[in-house]
Amino acid sequence: MAKTLITCDCLGSQSIDAEALSQATGLNVAPPCSALCTTQSDRAARALTSDVASDTILCCTQEARRFETMAEDLEVAPPALLDLRDRAGWSADPASKLPKMSALAADALLPAPPERMMDVVSHGLCLVLGAPADALAAAEQLRDFLGVTVLLDVGTDLPDSPGHDIIVGQLRRATGALGHFELAIDALQQVEPGGRTPSLGAPRDGARSQCDVILDLRRAPPLFPAHEKREGYLRADPGRPAAVGAAVLAASHLVGTFEKPLYIRAEPLLCAHSRAGQTGCTRCLDLCPTGAITPDGDHVSIDPLICAGCGACSAACPSGAVSYDAPPVDLIMRRVQTLAKTYLDAGGTAPRLLVHDAHGAEMIRLSARHGRGLPADVIPLDLPVIGAFGHAEALAARAAGFASVALLPGPGADRDALTAQVALASAIAEGIAVLETPDPDAMSDALYDAPAPVPVATPVRPMGTRRQIARQAARALHPDEGALPLPQGAPYGAVLVDQDACTLCLSCVSLCPSGALGDNPDLPQLRFQEDACLQCGLCATVCPENAIALEPRLNLDAAALSQAVLNEEEPFPCVECGTLFGVKSTIDRITDKLRGHAMFDGDRLRMIQMCDDCRINAQYHSADNPLGGPDRPRPRTTDDYLSGRRDH
């Protein structure tokens, strides 16, 4: 059964061709309402209580609270909502909005998997930091809501009967997040009960404790990087009473069980962080603003309590060991491809993609209400975080038929990570850029004035991992080109081997995390498959001869998908049995160096030219076998025993 789309022209302020929209999308689209949220709200109520309520979409997000309240009163599930007005209908562009509305409707129909969540329990144990006057005043306000402990500096006078716990010491370290903070305190002194005035116990270093919430009112650097993203850590300038009051109010509500989204999905076996104690890829470690990612042996570990879900690690991970999951990467790819295909199928040409977050959504609304709105060929793609949209997603959009891709970051976006991804994508395809402006009118002007490059002649919709999608998209955009040079740090490239320096020790093969480097069990060969190379640098790090270098590039030739020989030499035949083993040049070089050495006179030098089996056999039968010993004694038999009795 086709889904139903209930549209509204918002008091005639936009034009909606319901019949054409129905033909383009395959949905049931009735003639548009004029006031769905007020005088015609009965249509919304009938839709919510109908047998196909789960397949009904209301095209109005401005009055979302009104429709949610209506659903609650009717005791039904809240409706699905779609914004056609701000993103398409309210626009100064005279071109037809039908292809764009069709694309937005098709995007809204895509099924999204439920978010993965974890429960975070906070018992309300709060540590307050700051000068005595500031910390004690905040503690007085929180004492009725939380279990409060105030940490004062050494030498501070203690108040009489404060009504909450007080400790004295120096906070050395704090780790964790809401409900799971771990504290290390030096010179810790606790208040001793009894006596006319408060007294302190003996100080001790390295004391450890836990709390659920930290209220930091110090005039000092924050305890955590990107502290504003650390849940449970509230920081305010004590010189700003309004900020302190807001922090105290927020802290008072941090009691109970909370749902924490699991933003990242990890596959440790794919991680190329390190091997055998040698560090390789550190892209996610370098980018994580909160410090949620830490080394953990050969791979990295992500603390879900600290992770703020910025998505930068997913966009930068070369192997797919870390991928964004709220929403999943494959859903973002499907949304991009669905928007492009539906727009083109509805008669549109050369669409442009505008990727934005919640801040960008508000800019679009302001531009639509007070300015020119978006051009008819600009399709907005809203994401929870823009950092999850990396070079692979941008290339997939260009290959799917978008003439250009613009990213509109909000104030909380990681500019450095975003710039690196755009630079990588721009090295492969033109028309990918960051739109840096906080002004809605400037955003609209830039989109109206921007010349868009010609879209790909034959759109493609690649599938697979992010690496596979990026490669397939690049081949569609450059069908006749071989290797594209990429900036340093790119996750694609070649391994260059100095054949004169390489001894074919194959240390690089044993540590290559992706299997891009391989050997030949029958011949002394170093093989390389370029499309599998992550450019992690482990091979160059472990090479004892410094014979390996990296070249960032994207090789679009079919040869990149198969193994090529980087270095090979003639094998050495065993002088005893003729079995091929080792490398002839290496055996000859060792033999020449040891010839004339006192420890390698006679047959010992010849043993170097033997395979393992023959060498062991020759060593065993040599006159000075170091493994040899005296003859074993003859086992005693019954005859020996009886003979001994006769002798007596």
Side-chain angles (χ1 to χ4, degrees):
M1 180 179 294
K3 294 182 180 292
T4 300
L5 200 66
I6 299 180
T7 61
C8 179
D9 62 17
C10 201
L11 300 178
S13 60
Q14 65 172 331
S15 176
I16 297 178
D17 189 339
E19 182 178 353
L21 189 59
S22 177
Q23 293 177 356
T25 60
L27 303 174
N28 294 324
V29 185
C33 304
S34 185
L36 180 62
C37 59
T38 55
T39 59
Q40 293 176 301
S41 60
D42 58 313
R43 291 189 58 178
R46 288 197 302 270
L48 293 177
T49 56
S50 67
D51 295 336
V52 292
S54 60
D55 293 331
T56 301
I57 300 177
L58 304 182
C59 294
C60 178
T61 56
Q62 176 177 295
E63 301 299 327
R65 292 185 60 185
R66 186 186 299 268
F67 295 125
E68 291 171 357
T69 302
M70 180 187 297
E72 185 177 349
D73 293 340
L74 296 172
E75 297 182 351
V76 296
L81 303 177
L82 170 63
D83 178 16
L84 290 181
R85 185 194 67 185
D86 296 335
R87 299 193 292 172
W90 283 356
S91 171
D93 192 340
S96 172
K97 313 301 188 302
L98 176 63
K100 184 176 182 178
M101 289 186 176
S102 302
L104 294 175
D107 177 46
L109 295 175
L110 289 176
E115 289 187 346
R116 297 188 304 134
M117 297 284 184
M118 67 178 296
D119 288 340
V120 177
V121 179
S122 171
H123 300 288
L125 301 179
C126 178
L127 177 68
V128 181
L129 308 174
D134 302 322
L136 293 173
E140 286 294 327
Q141 300 179 59
L142 289 173
R143 56 184 290 185
D144 295 333
F145 307 98
L146 305 177
V148 181
T149 299
V150 178
L151 175 61
L152 300 177
D153 289 335
V154 177
T156 303
D157 294 334
L158 300 179
D160 295 333
S161 303
H164 46 73
D165 292 337
I166 292 180
I167 57 176
V168 174
Q170 182 66 42
L171 182 63
R172 182 206 308 171
R173 183 179 64 253
T175 59
L178 175 64
H180 297 273
F181 283 109
E182 300 284 339
L183 310 170
I185 303 174
D186 289 334
L188 174 65
Q189 294 177 278
Q190 295 178 290
V191 177
E192 296 287 349
R196 297 180 61 186
T197 59
S199 60
L200 297 173
R204 58 192 181 95
D205 290 336
R208 298 184 179 276
S209 185
Q210 299 84 32
C211 68
D212 300 309
V213 181
I214 298 178
L215 177 59
D216 189 354
L217 303 179
R218 302 171 305 149
R219 290 179 171 87
L223 297 176
F224 306 102
H227 63 89
E228 66 281 354
K229 300 181 180 181
R230 183 70 60 116
E231 294 182 352
Y233 177 69
L234 303 170
R235 175 178 167 81
D237 182 355
R240 298 174 56 198
V244 174
V248 170
L249 179 62
S252 67
H253 289 80
L254 295 180
V255 183
T257 301
F258 303 87
E259 285 189 334
K260 165 77 173 177
L262 296 175
Y263 297 107
I264 299 297
R265 187 180 296 274
E267 297 289 345
L269 293 179
L270 300 179
C271 184
H273 169 59
S274 71
R275 295 292 186 274
Q278 300 295 323
T279 301
C281 176
T282 61
R283 290 176 174 89
C284 61
L285 292 167
D286 298 336
L287 289 175
C288 183
T290 62
I293 306 178
T294 54
D296 187 9
D298 287 348
H299 54 84
V300 297
S301 177
I302 302 177
D303 189 335
L305 295 174
I306 301 177
C307 175
C310 69
C313 55
S314 172
C317 181
S319 64
V322 175
S323 59
Y324 201 70
D325 203 42
V329 171
D330 60 341
L331 177 59
I332 297 177
M333 295 294 188
R334 288 204 309 273
R335 292 185 65 191
V336 167
Q337 296 169 359
T338 299
L339 288 170
K341 183 179 186 303
T342 308
Y343 184 93
L344 296 173
D345 290 347
T349 57
R352 294 180 287 165
L353 185 66
L354 177 64
V355 186
H356 63 86
D357 53 15
H359 182 268
E362 182 62 23
M363 290 180 62
I364 292 173
R365 283 191 289 270
L366 292 173
S367 175
R369 181 174 291 274
H370 304 289
R372 293 196 289 171
L374 297 180
D377 63 342
V378 173
I379 303 178
L381 173 64
D382 59 307
L383 295 176
V385 290
I386 199 171
F389 195 91
H391 72 280
E393 289 79 4
L395 295 175
R398 289 283 286 111
F402 283 105
S404 66
V405 178
L407 286 83
L408 182 64
D414 188 336
R415 258 60 178 183
D416 293 339
L418 199 62
T419 300
Q421 288 297 305
V422 170
L424 175 57
S426 299
I428 300 174
E430 61 179 355
I432 302 171
V434 177
L435 184 56
E436 281 281 13
T437 177
D439 186 350
D441 290 333
M443 174 197 69
S444 294
D445 293 341
L447 293 173
Y448 275 96
D449 299 339
V454 178
V456 64
T458 304
V460 298
R461 294 166 185 87
M463 300 174 61
T465 64
R466 295 182 74 253
R467 287 182 65 86
Q468 293 168 340
I469 289 175
R471 178 175 293 277
Q472 295 172 47
R475 293 190 66 180
L477 295 168
H478 302 282
D480 300 325
E481 294 195 33
L484 304 174
L486 299 180
Q488 290 294 326
Y492 313 95
V495 168
L496 307 180
V497 174
D498 183 351
Q499 296 183 355
D500 294 333
C502 176
T503 61
L504 288 174
C505 68
L506 303 182
S507 298
C508 53
V509 173
S510 61
L511 297 184
C512 181
S514 65
L517 290 169
D519 62 351
N520 186 337
D522 300 322
L523 294 172
Q525 284 184 343
L526 176 61
R527 294 174 170 267
F528 176 63
Q529 184 171 331
E530 187 166 343
D531 79 305
C533 180
L534 307 177
Q535 295 284 286
C536 64
L538 272 169
C539 54
T541 301
V542 302
C543 180
E545 310 298 339
N546 295 322
I548 294 180
L550 304 179
E551 179 186 1
R553 69 181 189 182
L554 182 59
N555 190 354
L556 303 179
D557 291 337
L561 305 178
S562 58
Q563 287 191 337
V565 177
L566 295 183
N567 192 20
E568 62 179 338
E569 290 197 35
E570 180 183 353
F572 188 87
C574 174
V575 294
E576 286 289 330
C577 66
T579 300
L580 299 178
F581 78 100
V583 181
K584 185 177 186 304
S585 62
T586 301
I587 301 298
D588 291 343
R589 183 165 56 253
I590 294 175
T591 303
D592 292 340
K593 286 186 176 182
L594 296 179
R595 183 174 286 111
H597 195 283
M599 294 185 63
F600 289 90
D601 57 347
D603 291 337
R604 294 180 181 178
L605 186 63
R606 193 168 182 270
M607 289 183 186
I608 297 176
Q609 301 172 329
M610 299 180 186
C611 66
D612 292 343
D613 294 339
C614 294
R615 187 181 305 115
I616 293 174
N617 186 58
Q619 183 70 60
Y620 181 78
H621 291 93
S622 63
D624 54 352
N625 178 16
L627 302 179
D631 293 338
R632 296 180 60 185
R634 187 175 64 85
R636 286 179 60 84
T637 64
T638 302
D639 291 341
D640 296 328
Y641 176 73
L642 295 176
S643 175
R645 291 185 62 184
R646 287 195 296 268
D647 292 342
H648 293 287

